[in-house]
Amino acid sequence: MPNDPASSDEALGMGRPIDRRDFLNGIAVAAGAAGGGFLGGTSAWAGATPWPQDRPDYDPPTLTGLRGSHAGSFEAAHRLRDGDFWAGREAPQDTGEAYDLIVVGAGISGLSAAHFYRQAMPNARILILDNHDDFGGHAKRNEFHLGGKLHLLNGGTLMIDSPRPYSAVAGGLLQALGIDPVALSAACDRNQLYPSLGLQHAVFFDKETFGADRLVAGAPAPYYGQGGSWRAFLAKTPLSPAVRADIERIEIGKVDYMPGLTSEVKKDRLSRMSYRDYLLKVAKVDPAVAAFYQTHTQGEWGVGIDAVSALDCWGFAMPGFAGLELEAGPAPRMSYTPAGYVQGGSYTFHFPDGNATIARLLVRELVPGAVPGHDCRDVVTAKVDYGRLDRPEGPVRIRLSSICVRARNLGDPASPRGVQVAYARGEGVFMVTAKACVLASWNMMIPYLCPEMPPAQKAALHKVVKTPLVYTSVALRDWTAFHKLGVSSVSAPGGYHTSFRLNWPVDIGDHAAERSPDRPILVHMTRTPCHPGLSEEEQNRAGRAELLTTPFETFEREIRDQLGRTLAGGGFDPARDITAITVNRWPHGYAPEWNALWQPVLPLEQQPNVIGRARFGHIAIANSDAGAAAYTDCAIDQAHRAVGELLAL
Ligand SMILES: Cc1cc2nc3c(=O)[nH]c(=O)nc-3n(C[C@H](O)[C@H](O)[C@H](O)COP(=O)(O)OP(=O)(O)OC[C@H]3O[C@@H](n4cnc5c(N)ncnc54)[C@H](O)[C@@H]3O)c2cc1C
């Protein structure tokens, strides 16, 4: 809205001194590393200057600005991909460090791999490397201190939740960490807080997409989970009567749009057409109806309804299928595992920092003393002592801001003597050795780390295209505008962020949800940089490029404009009310999953993730990529499999 005075930089508050310390610090860390040539951790051979993670004030969850794949975390990987990383470099500096196991990737998969390995080999010495300045991988924590109170949000992995039940292995790990999702949900979720204040879900219709800016609260069940009639809700929207009638037909109608076909044939056809095509060509709705539903699938799958099968959308409880009388049974994407179909979802629970709590509990167990406390409640407010993560005396060491650039079997991969791993930290490249290695890192990078892998395996790994997405955390001075408007969460089909909501109200340990609208709060916003019209994979590639080239200022302006326009009726002033912004950008986000629209059903041994994850000498491959499912249970299961492969040697 460039010519709208309300959208001028001044009105939006672009010049305001919000907290974006990390935006500067993220670069400062990288620059400091470059200039200082720091060596690793507090190991005996380290130089006098401590590495940032050893500094007493090191606290990455509190950093704001551009986070997720932050500056300094990915550049070496891109140079490796482009073939110019090693040009003109001296051989890696040998640290002399030797471990039983090196794990690349301190996400939930890598941390779980260390857990499983130590379970089998209690005296094992393990080094965990990660390219980010914090551990957790996608399971990152955003921490704010607002008005004297701790406020938390997930910077990535939102919650314990999977379309499949957690396996005995993944569920067993949660249990070992003291997490009982069912008991926690019953005791800690405060789902009734916002409804008790009269706040509901709303849809924001923007003028660019729907002809007028309008916020309409009270979107009905079942999709939005609230009462009220569709007719009453739609009557308040700027949609034309024909479009409203079509949406009502899709939502509550019981029309069989595929008469005369069996459930099996219907399902087969639905699995090979997008939901968008189903709406437009089979249910024959007005094109504006497709715009209304376009972004419904983006949170779950990172792409819109043009790139997801209608059958998956049926499995995801999207509307429009009631009259088809489809037999109960699996929908492909929701329940597909490399081994076949599994039905039924998992238990769910959202910790205030999402699954970062799982990562923090794993670190507490692996590095005694680093995360104070005793259970999954006190860990929520515990402050990590990062200085303890990489101590020479520790049996498990976690080395941050250290990107693996090489993993090599020593000797013939058929019977290696061990593994040599090189990692870049600052301007230096360092070498460590181990008996074995688990690559729990993003699988598409493995061919660059292990160029001597068999060509078919490298080709399979090159096929991994992760889904880009952005989780933004915005700190607000108060939430009186939400309160006045009677809104707690908003879907914005035409918005830069396609949804946002007040922080999840969870009381756990010493952490209590904010209850008073005149107090500060965090807002969670989701953006998926989709490019409708392309295949899912092409959309993901284009979205990734977009995220890597979008400066923080663009995100900030869009956030201010969107919140300002959406909440204007409640008196929201973006210049006054926004006090801090953290943009967690994930150019390499969700693990790629099987998509019925573009991919054939293949036998297990021909699936790219299965070919790609084969053990290579003493190097085993974990990460959720290896299981082709973007969920925490998958990350844990894959860690268990990878460790099992090494222990069987
Ligand atoms: C925004 C977002 C929301 C999500 N929400 C959920 C959710 O609600 N529930 C759920 O179950 N799942 C969710 N997921 C999926 C999530 O990916 C998995 O649940 C899980 O956290 C993945 O763990 P991982 O260890 O396999 O991978 P990651 O978390 O990606 O960890 C891998 C780590 O390895 C690092 N790495 C990569 N290459 C190298 C290298 N060469 N050297 C050193 N380190 C390297 C990466 O940077 C990363 O830190 C979400 C994902 C995203 C992006």
Side-chain angles (χ1 to χ4, degrees):
M1 305 280 293
N3 297 323
D4 183 345
S7 293
S8 72
D9 276 5
E10 195 187 344
L12 293 175
M14 283 298 289
R16 296 287 173 107
I18 58 161
D19 187 353
R20 53 176 134 180
R21 190 158 61 91
D22 149 68
F23 182 53
L24 304 171
N25 279 2
I27 290 166
V29 167
F38 300 131
L39 303 180
T42 46
S43 60
W45 51 274
T49 318
W51 184 254
Q53 81 180 60
D54 296 326
R55 292 180 187 147
D57 61 346
Y58 190 79
D59 196 12
T62 60
L63 300 179
T64 57
L66 209 43
R67 298 291 295 157
S69 284
H70 57 77
S73 66
F74 57 86
E75 294 80 352
H78 290 178
R79 292 186 63 191
L80 207 58
R81 175 202 60 197
D82 298 341
D84 64 358
F85 177 81
W86 293 105
R89 271 184 199 274
E90 291 178 9
Q93 192 175 328
D94 191 352
T95 63
E97 293 176 20
Y99 297 89
D100 293 299
L101 181 73
I102 295 172
V103 177
V104 177
I108 287 181
S109 199
L111 296 170
S112 303
H115 163 91
F116 291 129
Y117 200 85
R118 291 262 303 168
Q119 222 176 21
M121 314 274 274
N123 296 321
R125 294 198 69 242
I126 300 176
L127 173 68
I128 305 174
L129 299 170
D130 198 280
N131 57 322
H132 289 105
D133 59 15
D134 199 0
F135 60 80
H138 292 147
K140 285 278 182 340
R141 170 180 170 105
N142 286 174
E143 182 173 324
F144 298 78
H145 296 264
L146 310 171
K149 181 175 178 330
L150 173 68
H151 289 253
L152 297 170
L153 256 178
N154 51 296
T157 309
L158 169 69
M159 61 192 292
I160 296 169
D161 184 19
S162 172
R164 296 159 287 270
Y166 268 50
S167 67
V169 165
L173 177 64
L174 294 192
Q175 206 178 358
L177 296 173
I179 299 173
D180 177 345
V182 177
L184 287 169
S185 290
C188 306
D189 271 345
R190 295 289 168 263
N191 287 329
Q192 287 312 307
L193 175 65
Y194 297 137
S196 74
L197 296 171
L199 310 191
Q200 297 178 300
H201 184 78
V203 178
F204 182 69
F205 296 86
D206 62 293
K207 80 169 106 177
E208 295 85 342
T209 314
F210 299 103
D213 272 3
R214 197 174 302 170
L215 182 70
V216 185
Y223 194 78
Y224 294 119
Q226 274 158 342
S229 90
W230 271 99
R231 187 160 298 179
F233 170 76
L234 290 166
K236 292 184 270 178
T237 69
L239 302 170
S240 72
V243 174
R244 288 186 223 159
D246 275 354
I247 292 176
E248 194 175 335
R249 169 163 61 90
I250 291 298
E251 289 290 345
I252 57 174
K254 290 218 165 118
V255 183
D256 184 355
Y257 298 110
M258 297 174 141
L261 300 179
T262 64
S263 168
E264 194 183 356
V265 173
K266 287 175 183 173
K267 279 186 164 183
D268 180 57
R269 292 193 184 175
L270 291 170
S271 74
R272 287 183 284 111
M273 72 174 82
S274 70
Y275 184 62
R276 181 183 161 81
D277 280 350
Y278 174 69
L279 291 177
L280 292 174
K281 296 179 183 165
V282 179
K284 299 199 187 316
V285 298
D286 186 291
V289 175
F292 178 71
Y293 290 112
Q294 175 61 31
T295 59
H296 273 42
T297 51
Q298 288 182 196
E300 186 68 18
W301 293 313
V303 281
I305 59 169
D306 56 297
V308 183
S309 81
L311 191 60
D312 282 318
C313 290
W314 166 74
F316 192 46
M318 299 269 293
F321 301 101
L324 269 64
E325 303 206 332
L326 299 176
E327 282 168 17
R333 189 161 181 157
M334 295 298 289
S335 46
Y336 188 67
T337 72
Y341 292 106
V342 180
Q343 269 190 278
S346 73
Y347 34 57
T348 62
F349 184 64
H350 169 80
F351 284 101
D353 60 1
N355 287 3
T357 286
I358 299 179
R360 286 156 63 87
L361 285 168
L362 281 163
V363 170
R364 173 186 276 174
E365 179 207 89
L366 294 169
V367 187
V371 187
H374 307 284
D375 60 31
C376 75
R377 292 167 187 263
D378 63 22
V379 75
V380 172
T381 48
K383 187 165 161 43
V384 174
D385 183 351
Y386 284 86
R388 285 184 185 255
L389 295 184
D390 190 10
R391 292 271 174 90
E393 67 277 13
V396 178
R397 303 177 69 171
I398 301 175
R399 194 161 293 166
L400 301 171
S401 305
S402 301
I403 185 162
C404 173
V405 288
R406 193 83 171 82
R408 196 163 73 89
N409 285 294
L410 288 167
D412 181 357
S415 55
R417 300 188 306 279
V419 178
Q420 194 180 63
V421 169
Y423 65 92
R425 194 177 208 197
E427 286 296 282
V429 181
F430 305 97
M431 201 172 68
V432 280
T433 56
K435 291 180 187 149
C437 172
V438 172
L439 296 178
S441 48
W442 296 338
N443 283 198
M444 71 282 179
M445 203 184 157
I446 294 174
Y448 305 106
L449 306 181
C450 310
E452 45 289 285
M453 254 182 182
Q457 187 170 2
K458 285 198 283 185
L461 289 162
H462 278 307
K463 288 192 180 143
V464 177
V465 183
K466 291 167 86 67
T467 303
L469 63 165
V470 179
Y471 276 8
T472 300
S473 304
V474 182
L476 300 184
R477 200 180 66 143
D478 61 51
W479 40 297
T480 48
F482 285 84
H483 195 230
K484 277 185 200 147
L485 292 165
V487 165
S488 59
S489 55
V490 177
S491 293
Y496 189 76
H497 287 82
T498 49
S499 64
F500 63 89
R501 53 164 298 141
L502 293 173
N503 202 355
W504 287 267
V506 182
D507 291 346
I508 180 166
D510 289 338
H511 179 276
E514 185 52 67
R515 286 167 165 75
S516 172
D518 54 12
R519 300 260 315 146
I521 201 162
L522 295 177
V523 169
H524 167 84
M525 306 182 80
T526 304
R527 168 170 171 74
T528 38
C530 301
H531 292 255
L534 302 176
S535 71
E536 180 179 21
E537 200 175 298
E538 289 164 336
Q539 294 201 38
N540 289 345
R541 285 185 202 280
R544 180 208 311 161
E546 183 191 314
L547 289 195
L548 285 168
T549 51
T550 304
F552 178 78
E553 278 71 18
T554 302
F555 285 110
E556 179 178 356
R557 188 173 291 108
E558 294 285 356
I559 291 159
R560 289 179 176 282
D561 182 58
Q562 184 169 5
L563 291 178
R565 281 168 67 182
T566 309
L567 303 171
F572 185 83
D573 175 355
R576 181 196 60 203
D577 294 334
I578 294 175
T579 57
I581 297 174
T582 298
V583 176
N584 302 280
R585 68 166 176 193
W586 296 109
H588 301 280
Y590 293 159
E593 297 177 345
W594 182 72
N595 187 325
L597 286 185
W598 285 283
Q599 291 155 349
V601 176
L602 292 170
L604 190 64
E605 66 281 3
Q606 289 176 28
Q607 291 167 19
N609 64 301
V610 176
I611 297 170
R613 74 187 185 205
R615 179 178 57 77
F616 177 55
H618 283 193
I619 301 171
I621 296 171
N623 194 280
S624 48
D625 289 345
Y631 298 93
T632 292
D633 55 326
C634 173
I636 299 169
D637 287 340
Q638 292 305 316
H640 190 261
R641 176 198 46 75
V643 167
E645 288 172 4
L646 295 177
L647 292 173
L649 283 172

